[in-house]
Each structure stands twice: as C-alpha cells, then as structure tokens.
Amino acid sequence: DTGGLKGSSVETALSVGLGVLPTPDETSALEDIFNFKNEMRDKRWGFRRFIKTLATKQQTESEIQDEIEWMLNEYSNAMKIHRLKASQSFFEVYILPAIEIAENLAKFNWSKIAKGALDVRKRKIELLEAEMKAPGRECAYVFDARKRFGG
C-alpha cells in the first residue's frame, strides 16, 4: 500500500532506502541477522515511516540520498557525544562500583550493592532516552545496521 503516493516517488524512495542498508556477507550468522531484525523492530518501523515521508516529496534520487545521509550524520554525531559523556562516567558507574561491591560484600553492606546496580540501570535508561531524542533518529536503524554488518 503506497497510501495514495505516486508510484515513481515510492519506488525511488524505497530504492534509495534499501540501497543505504548494508548487505550482510557470508561471515554474518543467520541467527545474528534474525536477532538484529527482532531487536531493531521499532527502529526499523521509524526508518520505514521516514522513507514514506520522503516519498511524499517530489525529490530526485540524489536528493533523497542526501537527506538520508544527512540524518545519519546527525544521528552519528549525537551518539558520539552521548558515548563521550557515557565513557566519562564509565569509570564511576562500572569500575568503582565493582570495587565497592567487592568491599561491600566483605562488609555485608547490601544497600550500597543495590545502589550500584541501580546506577548501571540508570545509564541504560539514559542511553535509550538519548537515542529517542537524538536528531536523525529516523535513520537509527541504518546506523545500527551499518555498525553491526558494515557498510
């Protein structure tokens, strides 16, 4: 269903959209491909909606390609910034708590152990929030596919 869109616009947008996705090579396990598909369901949906939006505009193939690459660049930059922020606190969140957990196990300080586990969970939530708010998030599926399968 093209939702009332002109066939050539949809075909062009789909062609470009599929063209930016990497093709897994023979070293990619079939299980990994299926896992990726299942893990990225929401992101894949977001990318499909983005492609449909691109198909509503009268654009050339190169203009569509440009738009997708721009969004990928925006998302990539946002994730780099987030990773820098996250790596800055990596030591505080993962290394120090591991040392503290060992100390707290010896002292039977269960509340500090629980706090360390909550800090790790908090960082995962922060990553999800950063991904949801990142500019170019419509192309997160392509970003993750390229990261996992190359391209």
Side-chain angles (χ1 to χ4, degrees), residues 2 6 33 43 70 72 76 82 90 98 107 123 138 146:
T2 60
K6 290 185 178 180
I33 295 168
K43 289 180 181 180
W70 170 254
L72 276 167
S76 177
H82 179 73
F90 176 83
K107 296 176 188 175
R123 293 295 179 223
E138 298 87 347
R146 286 180 176 180

Side-chain angles (χ1 to χ4, degrees), residues 5-151:
L5 300 173
K6 290 185 178 180
S8 64
S9 298
V10 173
E11 290 169 14
T12 302
L14 283 174
S15 173
V16 173
L18 290 173
V20 298
L21 289 168
T23 304
D25 62 16
E26 64 278 349
T27 63
S28 300
L30 195 55
E31 182 180 359
D32 192 31
I33 295 168
F34 287 131
N35 287 341
F36 179 79
K37 182 181 177 196
N38 291 332
E39 292 165 12
M40 299 294 146
R41 189 177 135 306
D42 290 340
K43 289 180 181 180
R44 186 177 69 240
W45 189 18
F47 184 62
R48 288 172 62 188
R49 291 178 56 89
F50 176 62
I51 293 298
K52 186 175 181 179
T53 301
L54 290 177
T56 63
K57 304 171 187 173
Q58 288 298 323
Q59 293 181 321
T60 66
E61 191 171 320
S62 63
E63 289 171 329
I64 293 171
Q65 176 79 32
D66 240 20
E67 183 70 20
I68 292 171
E69 292 300 330
W70 170 254
M71 296 297 270
L72 276 167
N73 185 57
E74 289 290 291
Y75 187 76
S76 177
N77 288 337
M79 291 299 96
K80 282 178 192 169
I81 291 168
H82 179 73
R83 274 194 297 281
L84 286 174
K85 288 179 182 177
S87 68
Q88 198 172 29
S89 62
F90 176 83
F91 188 78
E92 296 169 359
V93 174
Y94 294 102
I95 306 301
L96 289 180
I99 294 168
E100 289 173 357
I101 285 173
E103 289 174 351
N104 290 325
L105 279 172
K107 296 176 188 175
F108 296 104
N109 192 344
W110 301 110
S111 64
K112 288 207 175 205
I113 294 170
K115 183 187 176 299
L118 289 174
D119 284 345
V120 170
R121 184 157 174 84
K122 181 181 171 189
R123 293 295 179 223
K124 289 179 182 177
I125 291 170
E126 287 174 358
L127 173 61
L128 289 173
E129 286 176 340
E131 287 178 347
M132 287 175 56
K133 294 175 184 174
R137 67 187 169 278
E138 298 87 347
C139 292
Y141 180 70
V142 177
F143 176 84
D144 289 337
R146 286 180 176 180
K147 196 165 76 173
R148 193 136 168 200
F149 301 110

